[in-house]
Amino acid sequence: MLSKTIIKNRAFVISLTFFCVIFSGCSAVSSSDVKTNNEPNEKKIIAYAKPEIVGQISSKEITESSGIAASRCNKEVLWTHNDSGDDAFIFALNEKGEKLGTWKVSGAKNKDWEDIAEFQDKQTEKCFLYIGDIGNNERTKSEMTIYRVAEPQVSASDKTSSEKNPNKTEPAEAIKFEYPDMRRDAETLMVNPNTGDIYILTKRLSGAAGVYKIAADYSLEKTNTPEKIADFSVPAVPNGFLTGGDISPDGKRVIICDYFSAYEIVLPENAKNFDEIWKEKPVIVELGQRKQGEAVGYSTDGKAVFATSEGKNSPLISVKVE
């Protein structure tokens, strides 16, 4: 049987070749009503500087960085994990890509981990990591799992930990869910920092991605049914082939990526509900060269975006707000 990575790459190459023949180009395609981050717009647009490689993930344990999240409880720490094929490990990195430690998530399995998100409880100030076991390339799974685990405290002594001798997290909670319509594949998981609501964006080769929401009062006793709240397209071909995303620390912006670039939407100032953000048109944020980009996330202060790529020795990319 072909590995997940080979299947994923083959599907991508086939689709990309098909669309390149039609459109005679292989770069992201902007529609006429979508602005880039250097174009004027009546609405507020965040201007970003050029992408910069700030480090490299040189750890031999991290070969398929499929998600990234900036810690709110550990200063200058980023969390990542491998795609399927690895055990239930998460890795702490500094902002140069150097590994700070390895943790095995207690009570969790890595069937197809695709993204990771950070959430800090405003009452207790305790931080949690949400890990999305949401990949479903062949649409064989009906039930998906999101693991919620208390974020470990990172110390200097953790550098010696490894997959052979890992630290262990507190027991993880398993949030089970099934889509309300059909089996879907997804690689984008986000948590609203203000409400705790969970968002999953599906990955599609044909048509817009679906935005599904699991409210913060989810059940741990039974399978949850997320609500589909929107369809979402980025200015690229394919327009719904999304591979990662994050919500800004202030809850007013969303960054989403595919293999080409990142795309940001901003909540209107007069919006009464966060979900109004999905009506906004995305703005392209260039991430530079990535071998297979599947991870993007905001910095702790929201003043930069970090991105990684699958593959060994992935660059750690930073794009700062100007």
Side-chain angles (χ1 to χ4, degrees):
M1 180 179 291
L2 291 174
S3 70
K4 174 181 175 294
T5 300
I6 294 174
I7 293 171
K8 182 190 298 182
N9 288 341
R10 185 174 68 177
F12 174 63
V13 170
I14 291 172
S15 63
L16 187 59
T17 302
F18 172 75
F19 285 112
C20 284
V21 170
I22 295 176
F23 292 97
S24 301
C26 295
S27 60
V29 181
S30 298
S31 60
S32 60
D33 60 351
V34 177
K35 309 290 184 181
T36 67
N37 59 359
N38 292 319
E39 291 180 312
N41 195 315
E42 293 179 359
K43 298 179 181 179
K44 182 179 180 181
I45 291 180
I46 308 300
Y48 284 90
K50 292 182 179 180
E52 177 186 3
I53 296 177
V54 294
Q56 184 183 65
I57 302 176
S58 58
S59 171
K60 294 180 180 179
E61 295 178 326
I62 306 170
T63 58
E64 291 188 279
S65 176
S66 188
I68 191 166
S71 174
R72 311 286 197 270
C73 288
N74 290 284
K75 186 177 181 181
E76 297 179 350
V77 167
L78 305 172
W79 291 97
T80 192
H81 58 85
N82 285 318
D83 206 326
S84 62
D86 198 8
D87 206 335
F89 294 111
I90 54 174
F91 308 94
L93 308 173
N94 64 21
E95 294 184 355
K96 293 182 180 180
E98 298 167 332
K99 198 193 81 171
L100 301 177
T102 301
W103 280 261
K104 188 167 185 179
V105 181
S106 300
K109 293 182 179 180
N110 182 349
K111 294 180 180 178
D112 197 350
W113 287 10
E114 292 291 357
D115 206 358
I116 187 169
E118 171 98 6
F119 175 75
Q120 184 173 29
D121 187 294
K122 294 184 182 300
Q123 293 183 339
T124 65
E125 296 188 350
K126 189 173 182 178
C127 290
F128 296 89
L129 296 171
Y130 290 68
I131 306 162
D133 198 339
I134 55 178
N136 196 19
N137 280 310
E138 298 179 357
R139 311 300 194 276
T140 56
K141 296 184 294 184
S142 58
E143 185 179 75
M144 305 288 109
T145 304
I146 298 167
Y147 292 106
R148 180 180 186 265
V149 62
E151 180 185 346
Q153 188 64 38
V154 181
S155 64
S157 62
D158 294 320
K159 281 189 176 182
T160 59
S161 60
S162 66
E163 289 188 346
K164 293 182 179 180
N165 185 30
N167 297 315
K168 291 187 178 181
T169 70
E170 294 181 15
E173 296 175 342
I175 306 166
K176 304 286 186 179
F177 74 92
E178 288 187 12
Y179 293 101
D181 37 24
M182 60 185 293
R183 295 178 181 180
R184 297 190 179 276
D185 182 30
E187 295 191 10
T188 305
L189 172 73
M190 300 179 286
V191 180
N192 188 313
N194 296 323
T195 65
D197 294 334
I198 302 169
Y199 292 84
I200 305 105
L201 274 65
T202 60
K203 181 183 182 184
R204 293 189 61 190
L205 277 169
S206 176
V211 181
Y212 292 83
K213 175 181 176 180
I214 301 175
D217 60 351
Y218 53 79
S219 173
L220 294 175
E221 305 300 325
K222 62 181 182 179
T223 301
N224 297 272
T225 302
E227 175 189 6
K228 183 177 182 182
I229 58 174
D231 287 313
F232 182 77
S233 294
V234 298
V237 178
N239 65 317
F241 206 65
L242 310 182
T243 61
D246 195 15
I247 299 175
S248 63
D250 62 4
K252 296 182 179 180
R253 292 178 286 152
V254 168
I255 192 81
I256 295 166
C257 73
D258 60 11
Y259 290 143
F260 301 114
S261 301
Y263 312 90
E264 188 172 61
I265 47 179
V266 180
L267 189 68
E269 293 183 2
N270 60 349
K272 297 181 180 179
N273 187 300
F274 173 79
D275 290 336
E276 294 181 38
I277 199 169
W278 305 112
K279 301 176 184 178
E280 299 303 301
K281 293 189 180 298
V283 172
I284 298 172
V285 179
E286 298 295 345
L287 294 180
Q289 188 67 36
R290 298 171 297 153
K291 182 178 180 180
Q292 185 173 314
E294 297 199 5
V296 67
Y298 288 102
S299 61
T300 304
D301 59 9
K303 295 181 179 180
V305 169
F306 287 106
T308 63
S309 175
E310 290 198 354
K312 296 180 180 179
N313 301 316
S314 165
L316 178 60
I317 299 168
S318 174
V319 189
K320 297 179 180 179
V321 174
E322 291 185 327

